[in-house]
């Protein structure tokens, strides 16, 4: 286990069964929007098969003073312990890791496809790009079962107001025709991309979420003729 330590400061519910956790930012810790951190429980009083460490994408952006991650609260030892943590609980950490970060060439639009909790790296990227006033065109399609399950919708709508290069398209897959919802319905497909992205021939695609979502999106893009070299993805195991 890493020797490095940080503190779990607080947490709050951000969607049904979904929490955001705020962490102290260790001195000198630098990262890029979209990168992950490994968090370890120290001497946990209970443990299960997956052990005391989990990887999380940082939701916070590099200009912010605290770190933040978000997760679906499954009934696992790791998640029980962080949810019931005393304030200032110590965690060991390692990182940052990963190269799931925004490409440099602003001439190419970014298309972010997020399944549920897979929104986490995109929150950081969009927040950071908005803060830095980056010129990249960014299109985020975020798929959830229902609006109650969908984290960060208000923040994303707010980024869209602040940043005219950012376009936010939430879609709900499990609504009945009677449910009121003004946005898209159903899973993300090529027709939905066509409706919202004016010129995607030279776009870079980023996919994040549970493995089933990422596989389905890769297949959909392949069938749509998107070059695999322009598709980057991050699978979240355990969902
Ligand atoms: C790069 C990266 C970024 C991530 N970012 C986030 C994030 O931002 N938010 C988030 O919530 N999660 C993220 N994850 C996933 C996270 O690390 C946990 O795996 C996830 O939150 C589930 O943890 P858990 O304690 O609920 O379940 P776990 O105890 O990890 O697993 C639950 C179930 O899934 C099974 N399982 C676990 N791992 C695997 C596997 N590799 N293959 C097949 N089955 C498996 C277990 O056997 C068990 O049945 C990320 C993972 C990676 C690799």
């Amino acid at each position: 286990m890493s020797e490095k330590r940080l503190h779990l400061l607080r947490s709050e519910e951000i969607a049904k069964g979904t929490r955001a956790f705020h962490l102290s930012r260790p001195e000198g810790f630098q990262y890029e929007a979209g990168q992950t951190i490994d968090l370890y429980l120290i001497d946990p009083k209970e443990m299960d098969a997956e052990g005391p460490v989990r990887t999380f994408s940082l939701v916070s952006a590099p200009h912010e003073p605290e770190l933040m991650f978000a997760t679906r609260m499954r009934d696992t030892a790791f998640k029980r312990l962080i949810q019931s943590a005393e304030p200032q609980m110590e965690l060991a950490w390692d990182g940052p890791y990963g190269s799931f970060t925004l490409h440099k060439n602003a001439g190419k639009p970014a298309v972010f496809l997020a399944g549920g909790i897979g929104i986490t790296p995109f929150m950081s990227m969009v927040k950071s790009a908005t803060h830095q006033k980056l010129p990249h065109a960014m299109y985020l399609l975020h798929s959830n079962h229902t609006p109650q399950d969908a984290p960060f919708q208000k923040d994303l709508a707010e980024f869209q107001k602040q940043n005219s290069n950012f376009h936010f398209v939430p879609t709900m897959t499990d609504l009945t025709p009677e449910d009121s919802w003004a946005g898209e319905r159903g899973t993300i497909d090529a027709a939905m991309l066509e409706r919202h992205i004016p010129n995607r021939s030279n776009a870079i695609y980023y996919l994040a979420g549970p493995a089933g979502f990422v596989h389905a999106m890769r297949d959909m893009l392949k069938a749509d003729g998107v070059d695999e070299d322009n598709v980057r993805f991050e699978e979240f195991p355990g969902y």
Side-chain angles (χ1 to χ4, degrees):
M1 181 171 54
S2 166
E3 295 295 309
K4 295 180 275 194
R5 300 286 184 270
L6 51 65
H7 294 281
L8 187 52
L9 302 174
R10 62 188 183 282
S11 73
E12 72 266 354
E13 187 166 82
I14 53 166
K16 196 169 72 187
T18 310
R19 294 187 83 78
F21 291 85
H22 301 261
L23 307 167
S24 60
R25 182 172 181 165
E27 218 179 306
F29 179 71
Q30 299 296 339
Y31 64 104
E32 281 185 66
Q35 286 193 299
T36 65
I37 191 169
D38 282 356
L39 295 177
Y40 299 75
L41 299 171
I42 302 167
D43 299 328
K45 59 178 189 249
E46 56 165 331
M47 184 84 80
D48 53 29
E50 297 302 319
V53 58
R54 295 291 185 282
T55 300
F56 294 106
S57 305
L58 289 163
V59 169
S60 48
H63 63 274
E64 295 183 306
E66 289 178 359
L67 303 180
M68 176 169 143
F69 71 94
T71 191
R72 300 288 198 206
M73 297 310 294
R74 306 299 192 229
D75 191 20
T76 66
F78 186 96
K79 291 183 178 176
R80 276 194 297 274
L81 288 171
I82 57 170
Q83 180 161 7
S84 61
E86 300 288 322
Q88 299 288 329
M89 176 191 189
E90 242 188 359
L91 293 169
W93 64 276
D94 236 328
Y97 294 117
S99 54
F100 196 67
T101 54
L102 188 64
H103 57 273
K104 299 283 181 279
N105 181 352
K108 293 172 186 273
V111 177
F112 303 136
L113 306 185
I117 195 63
I119 191 64
T120 50
F122 303 131
M123 274 293 291
S124 182
M125 288 189 213
V126 171
K127 199 188 297 180
S128 184
T130 301
H131 177 76
Q132 293 182 71
K133 300 191 169 25
L134 293 185
H136 296 63
M138 296 180 290
Y139 298 86
L140 168 65
L141 282 80
H142 187 197
S143 179
N144 283 276
H145 293 143
T146 68
Q148 293 70 37
D149 301 303
F152 300 122
Q153 303 296 285
K154 280 197 188 128
D155 305 78
L156 292 162
E158 188 54 37
F159 293 144
Q160 188 169 239
K161 281 189 204 150
Q162 293 168 18
N163 181 351
S164 58
N165 297 321
F166 173 55
H167 310 272
F168 175 45
V169 182
T171 182
M172 302 299 152
T173 58
D174 284 5
L175 294 179
T176 64
E178 294 74 42
D179 289 322
S180 99
W181 170 250
E184 285 282 2
R185 292 170 185 245
T187 50
I188 300 168
D189 59 11
M192 198 183 286
L193 298 181
E194 281 298 308
R195 280 199 290 282
H196 295 281
I197 309 172
N199 179 7
R200 59 189 182 94
S201 58
N202 67 341
I204 307 288
Y205 291 82
Y206 297 79
L207 325 178
F213 172 84
V214 171
H215 292 181
M217 292 298 105
R218 289 181 71 191
D219 289 348
M220 182 272 290
L221 293 175
K222 196 171 174 190
D224 191 43
V226 172
D227 186 336
E228 275 180 69
D229 285 350
N230 296 329
V231 180
R232 306 173 183 182
F233 56 91
E234 199 116 279
E235 275 178 29
F236 292 5
Y239 287 111

